[in-house]
Amino acid sequence: MPRIGKLIKHFDGMHFRMASKSHSCFVSQLAKHMEKCNSKPKPLPEYIKENINVIDNNEEIKVNLGTLSDEELLAIIARVSKIHSEYVGELPVSVGRHPVLETTLASLTESRGSWRHVFQSSSILYNMAEVGVLTSGETRSTYVEFGSGRGQLSYAVGQAVDLETDALLMIDKSSPRHKHDNRYKVDGESHASIHRVRADIADVDLGQVPLVRNDTRRLVGIGKHLCGAATDLALNCLYRANNPNGLVQGVCIALCCHHQCTWRHYVGKAFFKELNLSQTDFAILRAMTSWAVCGSRQAKEHSEAVQDNEVKTSILPGRYAAMGLDIERRENIGRQCKQIIDRGRVEFLSSWPLQAKLLYYVEPDISPENVLLLAHAS
């Protein structure tokens, strides 16, 4: 009898019922059915290796800020401000527009969300071009977009480079509809330089992906709003592909969702250890990153309250008000926590070695998550 592994859910003497589909077949027809059954597990490609980009398996620590005393919380805040002043400082602002997206921007209404997304992509391309990691025909590059979704950023990059010499590789664990890379199809055939890998970033051995393994193009990692731990997985994925040949020539990732960062994936552990910050300290900073957007959240709640004709006697949590932590101060502390976490990523990239930095690539009214991690070869 053919081996069908986990596909068997129930056998009643006459039928096998499959676990992933509500269908069954006669035992006598099982072998033939298994040759064509879409529910049959497919062999994994050699570049898929479970959790290859996960740094360690430490159990995650979660800290509820409500369990800290006022004195403990204020002491941590003071330490955060000192570290931020010494190791991060004020981030530069580098807002620009890349000419390849000007026509698209002109066709959209400025107040709409779609315009904001395209504007963010335009500024990302602008900053990539400024440091020489977005070129057209000058060098042969493969642009790897992590968490690509529909591939909007890759599509923009594809318009700015020469796809006769450059290539695009999109990595995402889902397969959304209306992918932007479909716009490159001619007579139903995809462009030879455009590739997709459907997999979790944690499991991708980038150096074994055929496009990378069988080619000598330099690698440039990109991402737009790559949430939390996904950024660290992407950086470690690039790091593994980079050594020992130094293939990675640039990284450009718009950061977000620091409250979803995890210690087991975080690439900046060495930086935290240098500052005598522990895994518990990381958990506290991660919890405080949510303060960075408390003002916008409060504004939304206030707007909804006005619409409902509600009267709020206080818009500040009583504890924070008593501690002198108003919305503006908490927002600033939250941003500092985010940027300290990001500074660890800068230090990680600098060890490759790449020249890495953080900058504001759009104004906060375009997106409150407006920090770009940008790195390039010397």
Side-chain angles (χ1 to χ4, degrees):
M1 180 181 294
R3 180 178 178 271
I4 62 175
K6 294 182 180 179
L7 283 178
I8 299 178
K9 184 178 181 181
H10 178 69
F11 176 52
D12 62 6
M14 288 293 292
H15 296 79
F16 281 103
R17 185 166 296 279
M18 304 307 177
S20 59
K21 295 286 185 180
S22 296
H23 69 279
S24 60
C25 71
F26 289 106
V27 176
S28 60
Q29 298 175 356
L30 179 61
K32 184 177 181 180
H33 175 80
M34 289 301 297
E35 293 177 0
K36 60 183 179 180
C37 180
N38 290 328
S39 297
K40 181 174 63 175
K42 297 176 176 60
L44 295 175
E46 60 183 334
Y47 56 81
I48 299 299
K49 301 171 184 176
E50 187 175 1
N51 289 332
I52 190 172
N53 297 314
V54 176
I55 297 174
D56 62 50
N57 293 314
N58 287 351
E59 186 174 344
E60 207 63 31
I61 295 175
K62 294 185 179 181
V63 175
N64 185 335
L65 297 180
T67 63
L68 302 176
S69 68
D70 291 359
E71 292 75 17
E72 288 173 325
L73 188 55
L74 289 173
I76 292 167
I77 289 171
R79 192 178 181 191
V80 164
S81 296
K82 185 175 185 295
I83 291 172
H84 186 272
S85 175
E86 293 179 359
Y87 291 90
V88 183
E90 188 65 30
L91 301 188
V93 178
S94 181
V95 180
R97 292 163 67 144
H98 195 280
V100 77
L101 291 176
E102 282 301 300
T103 301
T104 305
L105 285 169
S107 68
L108 298 171
T109 303
E110 189 165 325
S111 61
R112 294 185 59 186
S114 54
W115 185 91
R116 297 183 180 212
H117 282 295
V118 175
F119 183 83
Q120 290 173 60
S121 295
S122 183
S123 191
I124 289 172
L125 265 59
Y126 165 81
N127 281 287
M128 291 174 64
E130 285 291 291
V131 297
V133 297
L134 183 71
T135 58
S136 181
E138 299 176 22
T139 56
R140 299 177 69 251
S141 302
T142 294
Y143 295 88
V144 184
E145 183 181 3
F146 295 92
S148 59
R150 294 196 302 154
Q152 184 186 67
L153 182 58
S154 287
Y155 181 67
V157 168
Q159 295 177 76
V161 301
D162 184 356
L163 289 179
E164 296 303 317
T165 57
D166 300 319
L168 303 176
L169 173 61
M170 288 157 279
I171 300 175
D172 200 288
K173 62 183 178 181
S174 65
S175 181
R177 300 176 62 189
H178 310 301
K179 293 185 280 287
H180 281 69
D181 34 309
N182 288 338
R183 301 179 186 184
Y184 283 115
K185 287 187 176 180
V186 177
D187 297 329
E189 294 294 327
S190 296
H191 195 288
S193 296
I194 299 173
H195 305 262
R196 267 189 180 268
V197 168
R198 184 177 179 181
D200 193 311
I201 301 170
D203 303 332
V204 178
D205 186 353
L206 185 59
Q208 294 302 310
V209 174
L211 175 66
V212 177
R213 184 187 61 202
N214 301 329
D215 200 83
T216 57
R217 292 185 182 96
R218 67 177 191 169
L219 297 177
V220 179
I222 61 175
K224 181 170 176 282
H225 296 312
L226 195 57
C227 293
T231 291
D232 297 299
L233 289 169
L235 293 178
N236 205 37
C237 182
L238 287 166
Y239 177 74
R240 292 178 56 83
N242 186 56
N243 290 315
N245 300 318
L247 289 177
V248 178
Q249 298 295 302
V251 175
C252 186
I253 297 176
L255 305 162
C256 79
C257 301
H258 294 72
H259 63 283
Q260 293 185 3
C261 291
T262 57
W263 183 253
R264 66 193 293 256
H265 299 116
Y266 183 51
V267 297
K269 290 187 179 71
F271 175 67
F272 265 57
K273 290 177 181 177
E274 178 186 338
L275 299 177
N276 292 318
L277 293 173
S278 66
Q279 182 179 355
T280 300
D281 294 323
F282 176 85
I284 294 172
L285 264 64
R286 177 181 59 200
M288 290 196 297
T289 62
S290 62
W291 289 359
V293 292
C294 63
S296 58
R297 182 169 61 246
Q298 187 67 52
K300 180 180 179 181
E301 291 172 356
H302 177 70
S303 175
E304 291 173 350
V306 170
Q307 291 176 7
D308 294 338
N309 295 317
E310 294 179 0
V311 178
K312 293 195 180 280
T313 58
S314 173
I315 61 171
L316 280 177
R319 181 192 184 192
Y320 294 148
M323 295 171 66
L325 298 174
D326 59 17
I327 287 177
E328 184 177 355
R329 189 178 177 198
R330 279 186 288 139
E331 281 187 328
N332 185 53
I333 295 165
R335 283 192 293 269
Q336 289 180 353
C337 291
K338 290 160 74 77
Q339 291 169 15
I340 289 172
I341 291 174
D342 292 336
R343 182 66 198 182
R345 292 161 167 168
V346 168
E347 295 297 323
F348 177 69
L349 288 169
S350 299
S351 69
W352 290 20
L354 293 174
Q355 293 186 23
K357 60 183 176 181
L358 301 170
L359 57 86
Y360 293 117
Y361 75 103
V362 292
E363 298 296 338
D365 61 331
I366 298 294
S367 173
E369 299 280 18
N370 62 339
V371 174
L372 193 69
L373 175 62
L374 184 63
H376 61 95
S378 316

